């Protein structure tokens, strides 16, 4: 029992550490700006493909050039050390608890016979030292629940992270945590939109939310939240929730982003065991309310 508990805690800590960060190497980020980015698309047509292409065309500024290839096309060509790759990665913790990430990867010199392994359009064999920036995503919500516009937010967020690393403002996890925590108070200067689907059952309605958060807030449908993302309005912040695991080891990652800039304004995560804490809870609202 003790060893199982320690293993579970170690897993949760590892995912907490790696939910949406990347390299801390400013020189490496600066060098990557001069590359061409290869955007890797799903096999076949998908909401992911259509939206990521539009998001890159309209919002990507980190590299001057980019190209689009499919998963199959990438698998048939060698990785180019002079290029960067925007693709999906899948990571598995010690107890087989999996999450998917949108990841910017620097190219590397492949060893002879080194395969690029992937499952469900997400690569599983990318070495962590090649990752420049990543953020946890929910492919099912993107492709099946009309949440693909969140990819535009994620694209903006990745570039914001890289900008902070290049400028020396993020040099390790502690400085990254402090940077994002310092933004939480600014949520109160916006209208916060929280999707009803992103609320834990302990907050059943707008009244319950407003009991803990006194600044401008609305509980909205997912479609209304997506409309706010599409508007690109900087005066609005939006909720985002990604669930991992299953009933006995489920974990809930919660974020708030600026709808216009894509900046990460708040982040938190909880073990969502046995149907509890499956979304924003009162503590999240209090944290934003009290942030300084």
């Amino acid at each position: 029992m003790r060893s199982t508990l320690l293993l579970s805690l170690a897993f949760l800590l590892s995912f907490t550490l790696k939910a949406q960060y990347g390299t801390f190497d400013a020189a490496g980020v600066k060098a990557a700006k001069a590359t061409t980015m290869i955007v890797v698309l799903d096999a076949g047509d998908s909401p992911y493909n259509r939206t990521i292409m539009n998001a890159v065309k309209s919002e990507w500024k980190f590299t001057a050039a980019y190209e689009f290839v499919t998963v199959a096309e990438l698998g048939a060509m060698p990785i180019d050390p002079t290029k960067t790759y925007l693709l999906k990665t899948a990571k598995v913790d010690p107890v087989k608890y999996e999450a998917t990430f949108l990841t910017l990867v620097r190219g590397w010199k492949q060893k002879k016979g080194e395969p690029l392994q992937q499952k469900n359009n997400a690569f599983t064999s990318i070495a962590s030292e090649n990752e420049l920036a990543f953020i946890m995503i929910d492919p099912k919500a993107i492709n099946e629940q009309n949440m693909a516009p969140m990819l535009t937010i994620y694209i903006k967020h990745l570039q914001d992270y890289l900008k902070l690393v290049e400028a020396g403002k993020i040099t390790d996890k502690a400085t990254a945590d402090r940077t994002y925590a310092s933004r939480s108070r600014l949520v109160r200067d916006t209208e916060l939109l929280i999707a009803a689907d992103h609320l834990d059952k302990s907050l059943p309605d707008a009244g319950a939310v407003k009991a803990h958060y006194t600044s401008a807030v609305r509980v909205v449908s997912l479609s209304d939240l997506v409309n706010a993302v599409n508007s690109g309005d900087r005066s609005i912040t939006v909720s985002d929730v990604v669930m991992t695991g299953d009933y006995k080891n489920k974990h809930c990652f919660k974020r708030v982003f600026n709808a216009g800039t894509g900046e990460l304004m708040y982040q938190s995560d909880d073990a969502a065991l046995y149907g509890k804490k499956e979304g924003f809870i009162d503590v999240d609202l209090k944290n934003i309310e009290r942030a300084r």
Side-chain angles (χ1 to χ4, degrees):
M1 176 67 75
R2 176 178 170 82
S3 60
T4 301
L5 177 60
L6 290 175
L7 183 61
S8 298
L9 289 174
F11 156 68
L12 294 177
L13 178 60
S14 69
F15 255 111
T16 300
L17 294 177
K18 300 182 179 181
Q20 50 253 339
Y21 294 127
T23 185
F24 302 122
D25 178 12
V29 169
K30 185 175 182 179
K33 292 176 70 174
T35 67
T36 294
M37 180 178 69
I38 308 300
V39 183
V40 183
L41 306 176
D42 291 351
D45 187 32
S46 68
Y48 174 86
N49 284 358
R50 295 190 294 272
T51 307
I52 201 72
M53 290 177 70
N54 290 335
V56 168
K57 290 175 182 178
S58 64
E59 304 296 341
W60 190 258
K61 306 294 189 300
F62 179 69
T63 58
Y66 53 82
E67 301 171 4
F68 299 98
V69 303
T70 65
V71 165
E73 289 170 335
L74 182 67
M77 65 176 70
I79 294 295
D80 188 337
T82 68
K83 296 181 179 179
T84 52
Y85 296 82
L86 183 67
L87 42 73
K88 286 186 287 188
T89 58
K91 303 178 186 181
V92 182
D93 77 289
V95 290
K96 307 303 179 186
Y97 174 166
E98 189 170 346
T100 302
F101 298 77
L102 180 64
T103 307
L104 183 67
V105 177
R106 74 180 111 222
W108 68 95
K109 187 175 181 179
Q110 281 182 285
K111 297 177 182 178
K112 186 176 180 180
E114 177 187 353
L116 267 183
Q117 301 174 352
Q118 63 90 16
K119 180 177 69 173
N120 298 326
N121 299 299
F123 291 87
T124 59
S125 57
I126 304 294
S128 59
E129 59 264 27
N130 295 322
E131 297 173 336
L132 290 166
F134 52 81
I135 183 167
M136 189 184 294
I137 66 173
D138 184 345
K140 183 175 181 180
I142 288 169
N143 283 324
E144 300 177 19
Q145 298 172 11
N146 301 316
M147 293 303 292
M150 286 301 298
L151 288 168
T152 302
I153 294 285
Y154 301 151
I155 286 290
K156 293 177 180 179
H157 162 75
L158 292 178
Q159 293 178 98
D160 179 61
Y161 177 83
L162 293 165
K163 181 180 178 180
L164 292 167
V165 172
E166 185 184 10
K169 295 180 179 179
I170 287 181
T171 57
D172 53 23
K173 182 183 179 294
T175 52
D177 287 342
R178 285 198 296 269
T179 296
Y180 296 129
S182 71
R183 293 174 174 175
S184 295
R185 63 183 176 81
L186 301 177
V187 174
R188 301 196 299 271
D189 297 332
T190 71
E191 181 179 35
L192 173 59
L193 302 189
I194 304 179
D197 292 50
H198 292 164
L199 291 171
D200 178 64
K201 61 187 178 183
S202 62
L203 296 174
D205 52 35
V209 168
K210 292 178 180 179
H212 303 288
Y213 186 76
T214 60
S215 297
V217 61
R218 280 194 291 143
V219 176
V220 300
S221 65
L222 286 174
S223 61
D224 285 340
L225 186 125
V226 164
N227 288 338
V229 170
N230 288 332
S231 76
D233 189 339
R234 294 184 176 213
S235 69
I236 293 175
T237 47
V238 296
S239 64
D240 188 34
V241 168
V242 177
M243 303 291 296
T244 58
D246 58 25
Y247 185 70
K248 291 185 178 180
N249 67 353
K250 190 177 291 185
H251 209 77
C252 178
F253 294 86
K254 296 160 283 189
R255 288 98 58 118
V256 173
F257 294 95
N258 185 286
T261 66
E263 291 174 319
L264 179 62
M265 311 291 283
Y266 175 77
Q267 60 178 337
S268 177
D269 64 275
D270 288 298
L273 305 179
Y274 306 108
K276 297 179 180 179
K277 298 183 179 180
E278 296 185 341
F280 281 76
I281 58 176
D282 60 345
V283 173
D284 296 303
L285 300 174
K286 292 174 183 176
N287 286 342
I288 299 172
E289 179 81 4
R290 299 168 181 170
R292 294 292 182 266

